[in-house]
Amino acid sequence: MSSNENMGFIAIATDVTVVKRAMRIALIVGTVLAVINQGDKLLAGQLDFGMAIRIILTYCVPYSVSTYSSYLAVKDNIQRTARQDNA
């Protein structure tokens, strides 16, 4: 087993490339979702603590999904490369 095969979730999730990609996706998707879900209240100036928490969570969801998807893709790529090296 190579050392790359032992990469855990934290190592992959904190990789600069993964973090940058997840942040870009969260910014785009989170903004669209926040506008769809809270836009009318924001335009009316009705921002309160509860809504601020919901908006923050709206950005956390696409960030988390992107990070986990990247983790799975990296792990799959590592396993595929290891199988090819052993063949």
Side-chain angles (χ1 to χ4, degrees):
M1 247 189 222
S2 71
S3 61
N4 282 343
E5 289 182 74
N6 294 322
M7 286 183 71
F9 176 78
I10 298 299
I12 294 170
T14 57
D15 179 77
V16 173
T17 305
V18 172
V19 171
K20 285 182 179 180
R21 181 182 307 119
M23 290 190 70
R24 279 193 312 266
I25 290 171
L27 182 63
I28 295 165
V29 175
T31 299
V32 170
L33 291 174
V35 168
I36 289 170
N37 293 326
Q38 310 297 335
D40 57 336
K41 293 177 184 164
L42 287 172
L43 289 174
Q46 299 174 348
L47 180 64
D48 59 17
F49 181 75
M51 186 188 313
I53 296 297
R54 287 191 296 275
I55 290 171
I56 291 168
L57 290 174
T58 298
Y59 285 91
C60 290
V61 171
Y63 182 89
S64 300
V65 171
S66 176
T67 300
Y68 188 66
S69 177
S70 292
Y71 165 75
L72 293 176
V74 169
K75 291 297 281 188
D76 184 56
N77 190 36
I78 290 170
Q79 291 171 353
R80 189 177 323 113
T81 302
R83 285 193 303 268
Q84 290 172 351
D85 289 346
N86 292 331

